[in-house]
Amino acid sequence: MSVCVIGAGLSGLAVMRSLRERGIDHVCLEKASDVGGIWRQPQAGERGPGYLALHLNSAKELTAYTGFPMPDSLPLYPRHSDMAAYLRSFAAWAGVQDRIELRTEVLSVRQEADGRWTVVSRDAEGVEMPRQFDHVVVASGHNTEAHLPDPLPSGADSFGGKILHALDYHDGRDFDGQRVVVVGLGASAVDIAADLSRHAARTVLSVRRGLHIVPKQLFGMTLDQIANAPWWTRMTLPEQRRFVEQALLVARGRLADYGLPEPDHPIFASAVTISDEILSRIRHGAVFPRPAIDSLAGSEVRFTDGSVEEADAIVYCTGYRMAFPFLPAGSPAGPRGSVELYKRVVAPDLPGLYFVGLVRPVGTITRLVEAQSQWVARIVGGDARLPSPEVMREEIAAHLGGIAQRYGESEGTSLQVDVVPYLRQLSEDG
């Protein structure tokens, strides 16, 4: 029995640990020069979301792997370099380093007539190598391809400054003395705007649609602790919404008071933005909210309310597209763009292909990828059995139906899971 694991970030390392503990032969292919995934600081010439200001939004105790706590010396929310070092030390502790092939890019993954999988990879010297495996686990994440507005605002060709995506942003000091517009209100947008506000001459945050901004702690508890608390999981969704909405009114008041648009949807009907900084930076006059960009002309950025800002750069923090160019067409996303996986892991029509880490919880993802990894290892090792493809497709349809009612239909919303119910689901084999 042989397994190819693609990606050596937090998810891939969890998979390797589970496989090793069961004595299952495996190899991990990682195109970067080190383990760590998004937490590894990109080296010169590389693209990657690991900007210098990046910190954990989840508490270290619940972000750490089971049995391998983060050092006591680290703060509650470690920075990206601390997380990268932790992942390197975990790989050594778990004894999986010798199974990782760094600087090795996966070019194609295809299933043969006998059910086995052929994986073609290319190493640092450009040598391509086909290898066969019984199973393939994709753990390469979904922050892969930059999503930019298409088309860009009218007049973009005339803009004299620099237009970039968060994927190409590394350090606020690169914009010392410049005037910068940050587009978006997600996690990277508020991080980058807060970082820039300490270096740029002027930082503007352009927001098209309101999102719920939640501090990292409420009532002295981290969001992870709240999500795990029995009193929280016993609440219905309407009760959870009322509780958090009232807590947010106490903690920060109305977003309109900061010049930001109020969300047009209830909390937990879309991804929330976790930040302790952005509202404070706005209140301190370091970040200036504006609505969506209407047009560009030379150095001018015109917004939909008619206001104009001079800018030297625009940073689009407008998310990512999932991209798995090495996989067969139609996996993992179906015709409507939603991810179609049984229990968010198994491709029902491609036996032997699994995805780990392709979920989006409120809170830490570590326990989820550990549970996914252990379940995959049980399947591969023969200790768990999958139902028929028809039964798996029925489960997928039911899941996506519930997601559509709560969040709407899109690639991103199909990744949403509620932590405790999902962990319970993964503990049930088959």
Side-chain angles (χ1 to χ4, degrees):
M1 193 65 61
S2 60
V3 181
C4 176
V5 181
I6 301 174
L10 184 141
S11 298
L13 294 176
V15 174
M16 296 179 69
R17 177 193 190 181
S18 294
L19 294 173
R20 184 179 183 275
E21 288 176 344
R22 288 180 170 266
I24 298 171
D25 184 41
H26 63 279
V27 65
C28 177
L29 308 181
E30 169 55 62
K31 67 179 180 180
S33 59
D34 200 355
V35 305
I38 64 170
W39 299 103
R40 185 187 62 86
Q41 178 65 32
Q43 297 183 358
E46 289 183 310
R47 301 184 81 193
Y51 45 87
L52 286 178
L54 181 63
H55 282 70
L56 279 179
N57 276 337
S58 53
K60 69 174 183 179
E61 290 84 359
L62 292 171
T63 308
Y65 293 107
T66 302
F68 190 71
M70 293 190 193
D72 292 339
S73 59
L74 292 183
L76 183 61
Y77 301 104
R79 62 177 296 150
H80 73 92
S81 55
D82 295 326
M83 188 64 182
Y86 169 76
L87 293 174
R88 286 193 296 271
S89 62
F90 173 79
W93 176 82
V96 299
Q97 283 178 312
D98 62 340
R99 308 305 299 165
I100 304 171
E101 297 181 15
L102 299 172
R103 299 186 179 89
T104 302
E105 181 180 6
V106 175
L107 301 179
S108 67
V109 175
R110 68 176 185 274
Q111 192 168 32
E112 305 296 347
D114 62 0
R116 300 193 78 206
W117 291 87
T118 297
V119 178
V120 180
S121 60
R122 181 170 55 211
D123 65 18
E125 283 70 46
V127 177
E128 296 186 11
M129 179 191 303
R131 283 174 276 188
Q132 284 208 324
F133 300 91
D134 298 297
H135 302 269
V136 174
V137 182
V138 180
S140 53
H142 48 89
N143 289 345
T144 49
E145 230 177 56
H147 179 272
L148 284 168
D150 185 16
L152 289 169
S154 64
D157 291 343
S158 73
F159 182 64
K162 185 177 182 180
I163 297 177
L164 66 155
H165 187 270
L167 197 64
D168 298 302
Y169 177 91
H170 297 300
D171 188 358
R173 288 174 293 187
D174 296 334
F175 299 86
D176 276 341
Q178 296 186 33
R179 301 157 298 179
V180 186
V181 176
V182 178
V183 179
L185 196 61
S188 57
V190 297
D191 276 358
I192 288 172
D195 183 38
L196 279 167
S197 70
R198 294 178 171 86
H199 304 281
R202 185 172 175 86
T203 303
V204 172
L205 183 63
S206 170
V207 180
R208 177 181 61 86
R209 179 185 182 226
L211 294 177
H212 293 277
I213 299 176
V214 182
K216 293 183 179 181
Q217 296 190 2
L218 287 171
F219 302 107
M221 294 178 287
T222 68
L223 298 182
D224 314 84
Q225 291 171 325
I226 292 174
N228 282 329
W231 57 266
W232 172 262
T233 57
R234 285 195 297 265
M235 288 184 183
T236 64
L237 177 59
E239 288 172 338
Q240 291 174 341
R241 282 175 168 162
R242 283 196 298 272
F243 176 86
V244 174
E245 286 167 356
Q246 290 300 312
L248 292 178
L249 281 175
V250 173
R252 54 151 173 82
R254 298 170 64 251
L255 291 177
D257 295 335
Y258 298 83
L260 293 169
E262 290 288 344
D264 58 4
H265 55 279
I267 197 163
F268 307 136
S270 178
V272 301
T273 296
I274 300 173
S275 175
D276 283 341
E277 274 204 288
I278 190 61
L279 299 181
S280 174
R281 299 305 291 167
I282 291 172
R283 278 282 167 87
H284 284 81
V287 174
F288 299 88
R290 293 288 183 269
I293 295 176
D294 178 67
S295 61
L296 306 174
S299 63
E300 288 188 348
V301 180
R302 182 174 295 277
F303 301 92
T304 54
D305 64 351
S307 62
V308 176
E309 294 275 353
E310 296 281 334
D312 302 294
I314 301 172
V315 184
Y316 277 97
C317 303
T318 43
Y320 299 85
R321 291 189 184 92
M322 283 188 297
F324 303 98
F326 48 83
L327 288 179
S331 182
R336 292 182 297 177
S338 297
V339 173
E340 299 184 1
L341 296 173
Y342 174 63
K343 292 190 179 182
R344 326 294 71 82
V345 174
V346 179
D349 297 314
L350 294 169
L353 180 64
Y354 314 91
F355 295 80
V356 171
L358 208 56
V359 289
R360 184 180 291 161
V362 176
T364 179
I365 196 174
T366 308
R367 290 176 307 136
L368 304 190
V369 301
E370 286 186 306
Q372 289 180 327
S373 300
Q374 291 159 9
W375 184 49
V376 168
R378 292 198 302 273
I379 296 169
V380 171
D383 298 319
R385 295 181 62 84
L386 292 170
S388 67
E390 292 75 20
V391 170
M392 288 194 277
R393 284 193 287 269
E394 288 174 5
E395 187 273 348
I396 293 168
H399 168 74
L400 292 178
I403 287 292
Q405 287 185 342
R406 181 169 167 183
Y407 297 104
E409 291 186 20
S410 73
E411 177 186 88
T413 59
S414 64
L415 306 181
Q416 295 288 149
V417 295
D418 292 321
V419 173
V420 174
Y422 182 58
L423 287 173
R424 191 181 306 121
Q425 185 184 26
L426 288 174
S427 69
E428 302 166 355
D429 286 340

